[in-house]
Amino acid sequence: MAIRILDCAPMSPWFPRWEVGGACILVETDQGPVLVDSGLGLHDYANPTRMVRLFGFALGVVNDTERAAVRQVASLGY
């Protein structure tokens, strides 16, 4: 079993001005991969709700669909 930590929501909040990541965990089991906390999805980037827009503005979430968990897991071959 392998455990991978994916950065699925890089952020740069207004205060304090830090560069942080949103960790998603991918556990590779004998029965297949298990994703724990998927972070923002492709729909959140394409059609964000009011809450997602507020969250993104307040925390300075980078608008990059390649950082979505579904894209990162696919790039690992799943």
Side-chain angles (χ1 to χ4, degrees):
M1 177 175 11
I3 299 174
R4 296 178 187 255
I5 298 174
L6 309 175
D7 181 9
C8 295
M11 297 175 235
S12 180
W14 295 103
F15 184 80
R17 199 65 173 165
W18 293 339
E19 299 290 327
V20 296
C24 298
I25 300 170
L26 179 68
V27 182
E28 298 173 21
T29 70
D30 295 338
Q31 298 173 342
V34 176
L35 184 63
V36 179
D37 188 359
S38 63
L40 295 174
L42 294 176
H43 183 76
D44 294 319
Y45 287 106
N47 299 304
T49 63
R50 193 166 133 198
M51 184 60 76
V52 171
R53 285 193 309 269
L54 178 63
F55 176 80
F57 177 75
L59 296 177
V61 175
V62 176
N63 190 8
D64 181 7
T65 58
E66 293 303 311
R67 301 307 288 263
V70 67
R71 296 268 171 89
Q72 291 190 51
V73 171
S75 73
L76 292 171
Y78 294 106

